[in-house]
Amino acid sequence: MTADVGPERLDVPREAGLRAHLDPANLRSFALSTPGRLIAIGLLLVGLCLAAGMMTAATVSDRQQALDILLDDTEPDANSSHHLYTSLSIADAAASTAFIAGGLEPETVRDRYSQALGEASAELVTQSGHAAGEATADDPDTRLRTGIATGLPVYSGLVETARANNRNGYPVGAAYLSEASNQMQTVLLPMAAQLQSHRSDAVSAAQRHHVQPPWSAIGVLILALGALVWSQFDLSKRWHRVLNPGLLLASAAILILLAWTLIAGSVSAAEMIGGRDHGAVPSSRLTESRILTQQARSAETLKLVRRDATGDYDRTYESSVTRLDELLSGYPSDAPAADEIEQARAALIRWRAAHQRMNDSLAHGDFVGAATVATGPGTADAEAQVESLDRALGLGLDATRDTLRDNISGAARSLDFLAPGAMVLGILAAAYVGLGIWPRLREYR
């Protein structure tokens, strides 16, 4: 008679077999065996291929996102900061020009002042919009914007008070204008210049970061390719087969991805370098030139307003136009808007001649003649030359900015399809590794 065997008795041999398989000695023996080695090599290669694809895709996506931020936020913010500075300078020069005329200022001068002040306020709003969600109260640029926004109504209030007194013939108007100009020159403009410098530095930092090779992604790709080549040599020695089709295809996929990454990265970096050399660098020269133009013009008009005989404003004017002449003379001939810069140089020469005529009139006690040369409507007068110079510089800035933005866009587009392509090639390489290792494993069933 046969005794019944319960289910619990049938599980005993299974548990004993499982414990035998999980015994550390057996596991160590399996790991040192050829099948264990094949599995380890396969898992290592699959992991490296997937890691190479994912890291390359992530790196490229981060770089494209950084370029989009540069194109949509950082560069426009820097351009806005420049316009803020020049608008404030133009407003200050226009306010002084109105006083030179005496009594009721010309409508064109009044309109220029109002337009410049409105543009400055608009640029502050634009920059606040760019910085929304990113800046904090402790951010230096936020403090600068707040300082300018707070000081601008005070400045405009002083100018309006000065104008009211000037229209009524009260000499105290000059004192109010002096206080307003002092606030602009010592408080608002330095803050605007600092803000413009910060935003330009942000553009330069983004450019420098982009031209650096993505060493992490390149390193993982080289490591994966090296591991694939080594594994093929190892397998060929053990199984006496020269080629493993699966590993060979995996190596080709990683090699293609490495070449694609290097070529696309080089093209993108070259685009960025071109944008720097033919866009950002000339633009910085023109930005400084435009600032110097407004500084010199303010000094020229304030000398007449204050009837200055100390020579302080002349020294400010000469230092500004001397540096301006150096910048325009050293402008690269192959940079954008070279013709406009030649026009700017010609206007600067005519302006200096007009300024000398103004000083000659003042030396003979002819204030009315000097004021006419400085602010008159004549084509040879200083006002016309300053407008011509500033217009040429503005056109040059537009051209260099277009070049910079085109190159930034080209740098981003050079990386199109690389991120998804990296993922596809990484997955394909991992699949090919499996196809290459599986036939060897089947031999040990």
Side-chain angles (χ1 to χ4, degrees):
M1 182 175 233
T2 305
D4 292 336
V5 179
E8 64 279 0
R9 292 181 177 273
L10 293 175
D11 290 339
V12 172
R14 296 177 185 174
E15 294 177 359
L18 182 60
R19 284 196 297 269
H21 283 299
L22 296 178
D23 184 79
N26 290 336
L27 289 176
R28 186 163 48 253
S29 177
F30 176 76
L32 295 176
S33 67
T34 301
R37 181 182 177 87
L38 277 173
I39 293 174
I41 290 175
L43 291 176
L44 174 63
L45 294 178
V46 167
L48 284 174
C49 291
L50 292 177
M54 288 188 293
M55 180 167 287
T56 303
T59 301
V60 172
S61 297
D62 289 344
R63 289 191 163 225
Q64 283 194 301
Q65 184 179 9
L67 289 174
D68 290 339
I69 292 173
L70 175 60
L71 194 62
D72 297 336
D73 293 322
T74 310
E75 189 280 332
D77 203 11
N79 183 65
S80 177
S81 299
H82 159 69
H83 281 298
L84 172 62
Y85 186 99
T86 54
S87 297
L88 292 174
S89 297
I90 290 171
D92 194 43
S96 301
T97 302
F99 267 72
I100 296 173
L104 185 64
E105 68 270 15
E107 184 177 354
T108 56
V109 177
R110 174 73 180 184
D111 289 344
R112 188 184 308 122
Y113 167 82
S114 300
Q115 181 181 356
L117 213 60
E119 289 177 353
S121 300
E123 296 299 347
L124 283 173
V125 174
T126 299
Q127 290 183 43
S128 298
H130 286 161
E134 299 178 4
T136 63
D138 295 331
D139 179 61
D141 289 354
T142 301
R143 291 199 299 269
L144 290 171
R145 294 187 186 100
T146 302
I148 296 171
T150 302
L152 200 55
V154 177
Y155 167 79
S156 62
L158 289 170
V159 170
E160 292 306 319
T161 303
R163 278 178 166 165
N165 283 277
N166 187 51
R167 289 167 186 167
N168 292 320
Y170 300 150
V172 72
Y176 279 105
L177 179 66
S178 177
E179 178 61 26
S181 182
N182 180 69
Q183 185 193 20
M184 177 65 76
Q185 297 294 329
T186 61
V187 180
L188 298 182
L189 285 179
M191 286 193 294
Q194 192 175 359
L195 179 62
Q196 194 269 334
S197 177
H198 288 176
R199 304 321 303 159
S200 296
D201 289 344
V203 173
S204 299
Q207 290 177 313
R208 286 195 302 271
H209 180 267
H210 186 76
V211 299
Q212 295 176 356
W215 292 118
S216 57
I218 293 173
V220 174
L221 286 168
I222 293 175
L223 179 62
L225 185 61
L228 285 165
V229 172
W230 167 82
S231 63
Q232 291 179 78
F233 278 109
D234 185 70
L235 293 179
S236 66
K237 286 191 298 183
R238 291 177 178 272
W239 278 270
H240 305 291
R241 291 180 175 88
V242 178
L243 296 177
N244 183 298
L247 296 183
L248 195 62
L249 288 172
S251 300
I254 295 298
L255 183 60
I256 290 172
L257 179 54
L258 176 60
W260 189 0
T261 301
L262 291 175
I263 293 172
S266 298
V267 172
S268 183
E271 288 279 358
M272 185 61 77
I273 292 172
R276 180 195 65 193
D277 294 343
H278 297 97
V281 173
S283 181
S284 66
R285 297 179 71 94
L286 296 181
T287 298
E288 184 180 355
S289 298
R290 207 173 188 190
I291 290 173
L292 289 168
T293 299
Q294 299 305 325
Q295 289 177 347
R297 180 58 175 168
S298 294
E300 184 177 59
T301 54
L302 285 171
K303 176 183 178 178
L304 289 173
V305 171
R306 300 181 184 180
R307 312 291 177 95
D308 180 72
T310 63
D312 290 342
Y313 291 109
D314 277 333
R315 284 189 288 273
T316 300
Y317 173 87
E318 284 300 328
S319 64
S320 296
V321 297
T322 299
R323 174 58 181 163
L324 175 59
D325 185 49
E326 292 175 357
L327 291 170
L328 296 180
S329 299
Y331 190 81
S333 59
D334 60 343
D339 293 340
E340 284 78 3
I341 302 312
E342 284 300 318
Q343 296 174 11
R345 291 185 63 192
L348 176 60
I349 294 173
R350 295 192 296 269
W351 181 20
R352 298 183 84 165
H355 183 79
Q356 184 59 48
R357 294 202 312 274
M358 182 195 80
N359 281 341
D360 291 342
S361 297
L362 285 176
H364 291 87
D366 184 7
F367 177 83
V368 175
T372 301
V373 173
T375 63
T379 57
D381 293 334
E383 180 76 14
Q385 304 313 319
V386 172
E387 289 182 1
S388 177
L389 173 58
D390 186 71
R391 183 168 55 252
L393 292 175
L395 292 173
L397 278 167
D398 290 341
T400 54
R401 188 190 180 206
D402 288 342
T403 299
L404 173 61
R405 292 183 61 82
D406 288 344
N407 282 93
I408 294 173
S409 180
R413 300 293 72 79
S414 299
L415 301 176
D416 282 347
F417 308 112
L418 179 53
M423 287 298 300
V424 170
L425 287 172
I427 293 172
L428 280 176
Y432 288 140
V433 168
L435 292 175
I437 294 295
W438 178 245
R440 304 288 76 82
L441 280 174
R442 291 183 62 187
E443 299 175 3
Y444 293 90
R445 287 190 302 174

